mmCIF file of all heavy atoms in Angstrom:
data_model
loop_
_atom_site.group_PDB
_atom_site.id
_atom_site.type_symbol
_atom_site.label_atom_id
_atom_site.label_comp_id
_atom_site.label_asym_id
_atom_site.label_seq_id
_atom_site.Cartn_x
_atom_site.Cartn_y
_atom_site.Cartn_z
ATOM 1 N N PHE A 186 -6.487 -29.178 -19.360
ATOM 2 C CA PHE A 186 -6.240 -29.978 -18.199
ATOM 3 C C PHE A 186 -5.972 -29.132 -16.938
ATOM 4 O O PHE A 186 -6.370 -29.520 -15.855
ATOM 5 C CB PHE A 186 -4.882 -30.864 -18.505
ATOM 6 C CG PHE A 186 -4.537 -31.819 -17.381
ATOM 7 C CD1 PHE A 186 -5.161 -32.999 -17.258
ATOM 8 C CD2 PHE A 186 -3.623 -31.502 -16.465
ATOM 9 C CE1 PHE A 186 -4.879 -33.961 -16.328
ATOM 10 C CE2 PHE A 186 -3.251 -32.390 -15.400
ATOM 11 C CZ PHE A 186 -3.904 -33.597 -15.383
ATOM 12 N N ALA A 187 -5.210 -28.042 -17.133
ATOM 13 C CA ALA A 187 -4.944 -27.121 -15.985
ATOM 14 C C ALA A 187 -6.353 -26.515 -15.522
ATOM 15 O O ALA A 187 -6.518 -26.411 -14.316
ATOM 16 C CB ALA A 187 -3.992 -26.022 -16.435
ATOM 17 N N TRP A 188 -7.174 -26.168 -16.430
ATOM 18 C CA TRP A 188 -8.499 -25.632 -16.008
ATOM 19 C C TRP A 188 -9.291 -26.643 -15.269
ATOM 20 O O TRP A 188 -9.881 -26.324 -14.240
ATOM 21 C CB TRP A 188 -9.240 -25.252 -17.246
ATOM 22 C CG TRP A 188 -10.602 -24.574 -17.036
ATOM 23 C CD1 TRP A 188 -10.880 -23.360 -16.605
ATOM 24 C CD2 TRP A 188 -11.836 -25.396 -17.076
ATOM 25 N NE1 TRP A 188 -12.258 -23.200 -16.444
ATOM 26 C CE2 TRP A 188 -12.824 -24.367 -16.652
ATOM 27 C CE3 TRP A 188 -12.182 -26.680 -17.333
ATOM 28 C CZ2 TRP A 188 -14.154 -24.751 -16.677
ATOM 29 C CZ3 TRP A 188 -13.532 -26.997 -17.342
ATOM 30 C CH2 TRP A 188 -14.514 -26.060 -17.010
ATOM 31 N N CYS A 189 -9.287 -27.922 -15.734
ATOM 32 C CA CYS A 189 -10.023 -28.910 -15.037
ATOM 33 C C CYS A 189 -9.430 -29.162 -13.606
ATOM 34 O O CYS A 189 -10.213 -29.354 -12.649
ATOM 35 C CB CYS A 189 -10.004 -30.243 -15.776
ATOM 36 S SG CYS A 189 -10.893 -30.217 -17.406
ATOM 37 N N GLY A 190 -8.072 -29.071 -13.485
ATOM 38 C CA GLY A 190 -7.529 -29.228 -12.192
ATOM 39 C C GLY A 190 -7.912 -28.172 -11.243
ATOM 40 O O GLY A 190 -8.140 -28.393 -10.019
ATOM 41 N N GLY A 191 -7.958 -26.947 -11.724
ATOM 42 C CA GLY A 191 -8.400 -25.797 -10.800
ATOM 43 C C GLY A 191 -9.833 -25.962 -10.441
ATOM 44 O O GLY A 191 -10.137 -25.723 -9.278
ATOM 45 N N VAL A 192 -10.683 -26.250 -11.373
ATOM 46 C CA VAL A 192 -12.129 -26.389 -11.065
ATOM 47 C C VAL A 192 -12.362 -27.557 -10.076
ATOM 48 O O VAL A 192 -13.157 -27.386 -9.190
ATOM 49 C CB VAL A 192 -12.872 -26.622 -12.348
ATOM 50 C CG1 VAL A 192 -14.481 -26.922 -12.061
ATOM 51 C CG2 VAL A 192 -12.869 -25.372 -13.246
ATOM 52 N N ALA A 193 -11.643 -28.592 -10.230
ATOM 53 C CA ALA A 193 -11.766 -29.798 -9.287
ATOM 54 C C ALA A 193 -11.588 -29.399 -7.839
ATOM 55 O O ALA A 193 -12.193 -30.077 -6.969
ATOM 56 C CB ALA A 193 -10.829 -30.889 -9.771
ATOM 57 N N MET A 194 -10.688 -28.423 -7.607
ATOM 58 C CA MET A 194 -10.486 -28.006 -6.213
ATOM 59 C C MET A 194 -11.733 -27.415 -5.546
ATOM 60 O O MET A 194 -11.857 -27.391 -4.352
ATOM 61 C CB MET A 194 -9.299 -27.134 -6.127
ATOM 62 C CG MET A 194 -8.056 -27.670 -6.675
ATOM 63 S SD MET A 194 -7.532 -29.132 -5.731
ATOM 64 C CE MET A 194 -7.025 -28.374 -4.168
ATOM 65 N N GLY A 195 -12.603 -26.741 -6.392
ATOM 66 C CA GLY A 195 -13.746 -26.168 -5.828
ATOM 67 C C GLY A 195 -15.048 -26.880 -5.954
ATOM 68 O O GLY A 195 -16.065 -26.525 -5.340
ATOM 69 N N LEU A 196 -15.096 -27.996 -6.720
ATOM 70 C CA LEU A 196 -16.358 -28.687 -6.948
ATOM 71 C C LEU A 196 -16.905 -29.334 -5.730
ATOM 72 O O LEU A 196 -18.115 -29.383 -5.459
ATOM 73 C CB LEU A 196 -16.037 -29.792 -7.947
ATOM 74 C CG LEU A 196 -16.141 -29.296 -9.457
ATOM 75 C CD1 LEU A 196 -15.864 -30.480 -10.414
ATOM 76 C CD2 LEU A 196 -17.426 -28.608 -9.839
ATOM 77 N N PRO A 197 -16.074 -29.971 -4.789
ATOM 78 C CA PRO A 197 -16.724 -30.542 -3.611
ATOM 79 C C PRO A 197 -17.511 -29.442 -2.810
ATOM 80 O O PRO A 197 -18.564 -29.733 -2.279
ATOM 81 C CB PRO A 197 -15.487 -31.065 -2.817
ATOM 82 C CG PRO A 197 -14.513 -31.379 -3.891
ATOM 83 C CD PRO A 197 -14.662 -30.255 -4.880
ATOM 84 N N GLY A 198 -16.918 -28.260 -2.620
ATOM 85 C CA GLY A 198 -17.624 -27.242 -1.921
ATOM 86 C C GLY A 198 -18.881 -26.799 -2.586
ATOM 87 O O GLY A 198 -19.816 -26.379 -1.958
#
Side-chain angles (χ1 to χ4, degrees):
F186 185 82
W188 179 83
C189 292
V192 172
M194 300 298 291
L196 280 180

